[in-house]
Amino acid sequence: MRPTHRQLVDYVSDIKRRNHASAAAVVVIQQDKLVHEHYEGFHSNDSSKAIGMDSMFNVASARKSYLALAISFALHERKIDSLDDPIEKYLRSYDIEPFRGTTIRHLVTHSHGLMERADGTISREFDVGEGWAYRGINVRIMIELLRYLYGYDFTRLLKERVFVPLGMTHTEWSTEASESLVKVIDDPAEDGDFKLYPHDDGMGSNLHTTARELAVWGNLHLNMGRHDGIQIIPEEVIRISTSVQNPGYNERISPANGLFWYVQDGARANSEIGDRVPRGSYQILGNTGPLLLVVPESRLVIVRMYNKLYNYGGNDYLHHLRAFSNMAYETFAIDASTNFDRSSNQSSR
């Protein structure tokens, strides 16, 4: 039996309570219509400001989907010849061990095998392309590469080519505190933190956006770069980013990736996407709780927001992520050919 909207909201609320977040939001777009919207809680433990449609959450690692689009632009515009180019082809400082031979494909699919220790030294966990590990060093390298290729930060590229045309006024790499920003809760007994960074160059984990604008971001991908009937981004740019790009693994445990996105190509033990979500769907996640799931088969975009550092479940967090994506998909799943017209379902508490 299909879950109801209320059951989905109750599930999100329950995880918010269990994980000691102070805020939660759910926004769903289907067939280019806003069909569900829910907000609850406050901007921090010690805040009286209620969460609403203008509340800007820190999306943490979900910012990789924005970096992915910039990389896709570079490929489309032939600034990068191929995903299989070694990084030292462009950045000569990486023509040393252990980086040598690491390709852009490896870096954007978490198959690079590089590990950075607390003292800043770099070592190799596994040979390039022979495994999967979620590490942060690849993000820094790709940001450096884009700055070299374009001569300016990729954040500027996105603002000029995407955010302004889309009318996204509540998406920014925040460097100063403001009333719109939702604090991130670390210790539930203490007030949260804005998690700012002194620069808007993309290097810091300071990208903030609203649940609505994250859904618009997802819907832009769903529509292959079109918004309100206008082709803002070439289709190929979206296709590169959201298609499976990882090297073939010898096992079916490691997740499939596009450019940083998790892509559904069948149930995988270490994937964040539920096994009942259809093939071709893709998802991005941050460790402060934001989740964006795009399901092309049902013309569906689902956003979930929290503001608690680390997703609920400890070592079993993947189970809970898959449970949410399964439940959210099944709540709104329709056949893509269905003539869908449902009025917005909005709630707050």
Side-chain angles (χ1 to χ4, degrees):
M1 186 169 161
R2 172 181 299 207
T4 65
H5 293 182
R6 174 48 57 188
Q7 287 173 323
L8 179 65
V9 167
D10 287 346
Y11 179 85
V12 170
S13 299
D14 184 54
I15 296 299
K16 167 183 167 290
R17 178 185 61 81
R18 290 171 182 267
N19 207 32
H20 305 289
S22 74
V26 179
V27 170
V28 180
I29 294 176
Q30 191 160 42
Q31 299 284 58
D32 299 325
K33 297 184 187 335
L34 178 66
V35 298
H36 186 81
E37 191 169 23
H38 169 81
Y39 302 97
E40 65 176 277
F42 300 91
H43 276 226
S44 186
N45 287 333
D46 296 340
S47 173
S48 60
K49 183 174 175 60
I51 295 297
M53 64 181 66
D54 293 332
S55 298
M56 297 169 63
F57 290 76
N58 184 312
V59 298
S61 291
R63 75 190 196 278
K64 290 182 176 70
S65 66
Y66 297 78
L67 176 59
L69 196 73
I71 296 166
S72 293
F73 266 119
L75 282 157
H76 175 70
E77 296 170 350
R78 305 301 297 170
K79 290 181 179 293
I80 298 172
D81 294 326
S82 169
L83 280 175
D84 294 311
D85 286 344
I87 190 62
E88 65 265 25
K89 175 178 176 178
Y90 302 94
L91 300 176
R92 298 299 299 170
S93 60
Y94 290 105
D95 192 14
I96 57 173
E97 296 296 339
F99 301 99
R100 190 176 291 123
T102 304
T103 69
I104 294 170
R105 184 183 304 279
H106 296 134
L107 292 167
V108 298
T109 61
H110 307 294
S111 59
H112 51 82
L114 298 169
M115 177 177 64
E116 186 170 18
R117 294 189 174 89
D119 62 3
T121 58
I122 310 297
S123 61
R124 182 163 286 289
E125 291 182 76
F126 51 82
D127 291 337
V128 290
E130 295 299 317
W132 187 99
Y134 193 92
R135 304 288 183 259
I137 186 172
N138 54 341
V139 172
R140 186 178 76 239
I141 294 172
M142 293 311 301
I143 292 173
E144 290 177 12
L145 174 61
L146 288 168
R147 185 182 295 146
Y148 166 77
L149 295 174
Y150 283 94
Y152 52 84
D153 296 323
F154 83 94
T155 55
R156 174 181 154 189
L157 181 150
L158 292 182
K159 290 174 191 175
E160 294 176 352
R161 302 197 191 186
V162 185
F163 298 170
V164 171
L166 282 179
M168 296 172 73
T169 59
H170 288 76
T171 300
E172 66 178 21
W173 281 266
S174 304
T175 59
E176 297 180 356
S178 76
E179 284 192 357
S180 297
L181 303 187
V182 179
K183 291 184 177 181
V184 175
I185 306 298
D186 187 355
D187 184 345
E190 298 179 359
D191 191 20
D193 188 279
F194 282 116
K195 300 295 183 185
L196 302 176
Y197 184 73
H199 308 291
D200 65 351
D201 58 3
M203 282 291 186
S205 182
N206 58 327
L207 178 60
H208 291 76
T209 189
T210 64
R212 275 191 174 189
E213 289 201 357
L214 186 57
V216 169
W217 175 253
N219 204 51
L220 178 71
H221 286 71
L222 176 66
N223 286 318
M224 300 303 291
R226 294 180 68 83
H227 178 72
D228 288 342
I230 300 172
Q231 193 75 45
I232 292 176
I233 298 168
E235 287 189 17
E236 184 190 16
V237 172
I238 302 295
R239 189 173 294 108
I240 291 169
S241 181
T242 59
S243 300
V244 174
Q245 300 290 2
N246 54 267
Y249 300 118
N250 293 325
E251 30 75 15
R252 292 285 297 178
I253 297 174
S254 297
N257 289 109
L259 306 193
F260 296 119
W261 288 92
Y262 289 76
V263 181
Q264 180 75 302
D265 74 338
R268 290 174 178 259
N270 291 336
S271 177
E272 298 174 351
I273 306 178
D275 59 344
R276 296 194 293 276
V277 177
R279 286 177 178 267
S281 303
Y282 44 96
Q283 179 173 295
I284 200 77
L285 173 79
N287 72 351
T288 53
L291 182 150
L292 169 58
L293 173 63
V294 180
V295 186
E297 181 179 290
S298 288
R299 301 285 301 152
L300 178 64
V301 175
I302 298 168
V303 165
R304 181 206 70 186
M305 294 288 212
Y306 290 123
N307 69 325
K308 175 64 173 66
L309 188 63
Y310 304 123
N311 285 279
Y312 176 71
N315 292 333
D316 202 27
Y317 79 101
L318 286 175
H319 165 78
H320 296 280
L321 294 175
R322 290 192 289 262
F324 172 80
S325 59
N326 279 334
M327 184 178 189
Y329 162 66
E330 291 177 337
T331 301
F332 294 93
I334 59 168
D335 184 272
S337 62
T338 300
N339 183 14
F340 184 83
D341 187 8
R342 182 188 299 164
S343 60
S344 294
N345 183 335
Q346 302 185 19
S347 62
S348 62
R349 66 183 183 188

